[in-house]
Amino acid sequence: MITLEKISKIYPPNVQGLRDINLKIDHGEFVSIVGQSGAGKTTLAKLLIAEERPTRGRIDIGGWDITRIPGRDVPFLRRQIGVVFQDFKLLPKKTVYENVAFALEVASMSGRRIRDIVPQVLKIVGLEEKARRFPHQLSGGEQQRVVIARALVHRPKVLLADEPTGNLDTLNAREIIDLLLKINSFGTTIVLVTHNREVVNALRRRVITLDGGMVVSDQAEGKYLLPV
Amino acid sequence: MSFFINIWRIIVSAWKHFVRNLWLALSTVFVLVLAMLSVNVLLGVNVLLNRAAQELESKIDVSVYFLANTPPAVLEQAKFLMTSLSQVQSAELIMPDTVLENFKKQHAAEPEVLGSLAELGENPFGATMILKAKNTADYPFLLQALDNPQFNFAIESKNYDDHAETIKRVREISNSVQVFGLILISIFALFSILIVYNTVRVAIYTQREEIGIMRLVGASNSFVRMPFVLEGIFLALFAIVIAGGIVYSATVYLEPYLSTFLDGADPGLLTYFSANWPQLVGAECGVLAGLVALSSWAAVGKYLKK
Ligand SMILES: Nc1ncnc2c1ncn2[C@@H]1O[C@H](COP(=O)(O)OP(=O)(O)O)[C@@H](O)[C@H]1O
Ligand SMILES: [Mg+2]
């Protein structure tokens, strides 16, 4: 599903974001990417959605070589990878429903399809009752679920979540992870970037540990190894 | 189908941008209006100067005074020969009787003039021929052509007032207005581009989160871009409507005053603007919207590349 070959990323002028990464993530996997701050986790996530381009190496997603993907094709890549990023929150002046519908509007979806899909994804994340609320009327965990719902509208094959539990307490974090597991059970590949030790250890899924831009461990049923 | 959905969503979104940044939008429109006004004032001044030059040119003629008692055949011959020249627009013969009558009318209030005329007992006037050339530059040639042995013996005198100096001055003014105008218009065009560029940058800045999300969820570049370009076009259209209104009312208001400068002749401004408004509005819309769209496009482009 996702293949990275000898990927290096150097930010100008000379910051080594990633160093010689080789990875293979299969269809339907649930992979956690862990590591300390500055390890290169976000850089890896950005490469997967072509927000950044690798300095060296090759990236392939579902048979599509996106290493040098031209700008006009990026939107199509983004519709195949659902993204939950820390710094891309909800639009405060739009309701839950509108925030989710927005992702379909920008992709030229017809009004009828939008009215069809939005309630479905809101149901998946358990927020169909709160569709008319505005983000500030929701808890942090609920807001994050709306973000996930928005990431799901294009029925992506991969869901990429960068620190989705970053600002949440244990209970809310647990709920988000359960939601990701549920989405994974529908067949969606999940790439979860986190430095939350509890979350990772409870999952008992594959864990890839980055340090200094390199993969230092890759375990099938892993634990968060490094000190926090 | 999806194309029209898109267009509609983009228009709605552009309109929202416009309203949200209303003050910025209004000041931008103001600058654009100034630019449009300067263009149209220059156009108007040009029309007026041309009109003045035309008016002067239409007054140029050569009056040829024939000797009294010149046989009508010679007069007709002269008229015929002059008319047949391609440079001549018209040759009008005023026969001695008419000249006399005109003279009497002119001096109706001066009995002593009429008295001495009556003393003569006969019509002292010869015929007059009034010649107009198609081109101002052809008058010297006409004067030469009048020196034709078939009738030159019958010419008593010629009167040619060419207004040449005045016309030259008007043309010079018109030319410098054009040069000066072009410079002014370029400056305004540059200002307009910069102002619109800045307005769109600010609009983008206030929308940066929305843009970030749009791009993240797979909005195409053109979908992100079009609302801003359209916003620029909205600004341009507003400016054109306002400037058009001002130009029209100013023309209607000023034309009577202008006509007194032109000896009561029609200054032709209103005629000019009403005859040419589709082309003018079209051209001005096209150029302005084009410039504005281009600078909005560039403003967003910088953001999209990151
Ligand atoms: N846009 C950027 N420009 C320059 N350096 C960057 C940029 N983004 C990240 N980096 C650097 O790359 C390294 C990896 O960063 P990042 O991938 O954000 O780490 P993580 O998400 O694991 O905390 C860090 O040293 C960071 O300072
Ligand atoms: Mg990070």
Side-chain angles (χ1 to χ4, degrees):
Chain A
M1 184 74 221
I2 301 174
T3 313
L4 282 80
E5 282 171 18
K6 297 188 175 155
I7 286 294
S8 291
K9 173 69 187 176
I10 298 170
Y11 288 106
N14 197 18
V15 182
Q16 188 91 38
L18 290 174
R19 206 184 298 249
D20 206 20
I21 302 276
N22 288 293
L23 273 183
K24 218 177 191 32
I25 297 172
D26 280 331
H27 191 79
E29 266 195 281
F30 191 124
V31 183
S32 302
I33 295 177
V34 301
Q36 284 172 311
S37 187
K41 307 182 295 292
T42 299
T43 301
L44 181 60
K46 284 184 174 167
L47 289 178
L48 292 180
I49 57 166
E51 182 74 11
E52 295 284 356
R53 305 295 155 93
T55 311
R56 273 187 298 278
R58 190 176 156 275
I59 304 180
D60 187 296
I61 292 183
W64 186 6
D65 185 348
I66 62 155
T67 316
R68 295 274 169 262
I69 181 175
R72 65 173 180 282
D73 290 344
V74 170
F76 298 100
L77 175 67
R78 302 274 167 90
R79 292 173 205 175
Q80 294 182 25
I81 304 180
V83 187
V84 178
F85 262 29
Q86 244 179 333
D87 42 344
F88 286 109
K89 299 274 157 54
L90 300 169
L91 294 168
K93 286 183 191 142
K94 286 187 192 285
T95 63
V96 165
Y97 184 96
E98 288 164 349
N99 263 288
V100 175
F102 183 66
L104 290 166
E105 282 173 10
V106 302
S108 321
M109 196 73 78
S110 75
R112 180 140 48 82
R113 294 268 289 146
I114 293 177
R115 284 190 293 279
D116 194 32
I117 294 174
V118 177
Q120 285 179 29
V121 292
L122 284 179
K123 195 163 178 213
I124 293 175
V125 302
L127 284 175
E128 70 266 47
E129 303 295 326
K130 299 186 173 172
R132 306 247 153 263
R133 296 214 191 164
F134 286 91
H136 68 90
Q137 298 169 317
L138 300 176
S139 74
E142 286 169 334
Q143 287 184 19
Q144 198 59 283
R145 273 146 65 189
V146 180
V147 174
I148 292 172
R150 185 179 68 194
L152 290 178
V153 287
H154 294 302
R155 302 175 195 281
K157 297 188 190 71
V158 181
L159 183 67
L160 175 61
D162 190 2
E163 308 276 8
T165 60
N167 306 313
L168 302 179
D169 58 39
T170 318
L171 199 69
N172 273 311
R174 186 68 240 175
E175 274 181 22
I176 294 297
I177 298 303
D178 285 344
L179 177 57
L180 292 180
L181 282 168
K182 179 167 144 193
I183 293 162
N184 180 238
S185 73
F186 300 156
T188 307
T189 308
I190 308 276
V191 178
L192 168 66
V193 173
T194 183
H195 59 248
N196 189 324
R197 175 198 287 264
E198 288 173 58
V199 162
V200 176
N201 289 348
L203 269 171
R204 310 201 155 273
R205 299 291 184 106
R206 181 176 173 194
V207 176
I208 296 166
T209 310
L210 292 184
D211 194 30
M214 291 190 293
V215 174
V216 292
S217 96
D218 185 348
Q219 295 182 306
E221 204 175 291
K223 293 264 183 189
Y224 197 150
L225 297 172
L226 292 174
V228 186
Chain B
M1 181 63 196
S2 88
F3 177 75
F4 288 108
I5 292 174
N6 254 353
I7 296 278
W8 178 244
R9 281 177 192 155
I10 286 172
I11 290 176
V12 168
S13 142
W15 177 252
K16 279 188 190 157
H17 289 183
F18 179 78
V19 173
R20 263 184 228 162
N21 301 303
L22 195 61
W23 280 110
L24 187 67
L26 288 184
S27 51
T28 309
V29 167
F30 180 72
V31 172
L32 293 180
V33 167
L34 283 187
M36 301 305 293
L37 284 183
S38 72
V39 170
N40 286 292
V41 164
L42 286 163
L43 264 178
V45 167
N46 225 14
V47 169
L48 278 180
L49 287 170
N50 272 332
R51 191 80 188 87
Q54 263 176 23
E55 195 60 25
L56 284 170
E57 277 171 3
S58 75
K59 286 195 176 135
I60 305 175
D61 55 25
V62 179
S63 304
V64 185
Y65 303 107
F66 288 94
L67 296 167
N69 303 319
T70 303
V74 174
L75 296 177
E76 289 303 331
Q77 168 90 332
K79 177 179 172 178
F80 173 77
L81 286 172
M82 291 313 288
T83 315
S84 61
L85 295 173
S86 65
Q87 290 86 343
V88 170
Q89 190 185 349
S90 68
E92 188 193 356
L93 254 188
I94 305 173
M95 297 314 270
D97 292 346
T98 322
V99 177
L100 179 64
E101 254 168 60
N102 289 347
F103 184 86
K104 280 181 179 165
K105 257 184 239 157
Q106 254 175 358
H107 299 273
E110 300 159 83
E112 62 284 13
V113 175
L114 294 181
S116 51
L117 191 64
E119 259 170 46
L120 284 173
E122 60 175 30
N123 185 352
F125 297 107
T128 306
M129 182 167 66
I130 295 175
L131 285 173
K132 283 195 187 228
K134 284 180 182 147
N135 276 310
T136 329
D138 289 332
Y139 280 100
F141 174 82
L142 289 198
L143 289 173
Q144 258 183 320
L146 282 171
D147 199 17
N148 185 326
Q150 296 188 55
F151 57 84
N152 61 359
F153 54 86
I155 294 176
E156 185 182 21
S157 66
K158 296 171 256 185
N159 184 351
Y160 171 48
D161 184 1
D162 62 358
H163 303 278
E165 267 312 300
T166 328
I167 289 172
K168 208 174 128 214
R169 287 290 303 282
V170 172
R171 291 279 178 225
E172 273 167 14
I173 295 172
S174 166
N175 283 341
S176 42
V177 163
Q178 276 177 12
V179 172
F180 176 72
L182 276 181
I183 294 172
L184 203 69
I185 287 171
S186 330
I187 291 173
F188 267 114
L190 192 69
F191 269 133
S192 309
I193 292 174
L194 290 178
I195 295 272
V196 170
Y197 185 83
N198 181 57
T199 306
V200 172
R201 295 292 292 171
V202 171
I204 291 167
Y205 186 77
T206 59
Q207 310 278 130
R208 64 197 181 286
E209 289 218 326
E210 201 158 347
I211 295 177
I213 292 169
M214 282 165 92
R215 301 187 57 220
L216 204 67
V217 296
S220 64
N221 280 355
S222 65
F223 191 95
V224 177
R225 206 165 216 162
M226 284 321 284
F228 294 103
V229 174
L230 263 185
E231 187 186 349
I233 292 176
F234 275 144
L235 296 174
L237 289 183
F238 263 79
I240 283 168
V241 169
I242 294 173
I246 294 177
V247 167
Y248 179 77
S249 358
T251 311
V252 170
Y253 178 77
L254 284 178
E255 193 140 87
Y257 296 96
L258 291 172
S259 94
T260 56
F261 281 109
L262 290 169
D263 284 344
D266 173 17
L269 270 187
L270 207 54
T271 329
Y272 174 78
F273 280 122
S274 31
N276 295 302
W277 74 265
Q279 292 98 306
L280 284 177
V281 170
E284 287 174 20
C285 270
V287 171
L288 189 66
L291 287 179
V292 159
L294 211 69
S295 62
S296 318
W297 181 268
V300 196
K302 243 183 120 180
Y303 187 91
L304 283 180
K305 280 217 193 80
K306 287 221 310 183

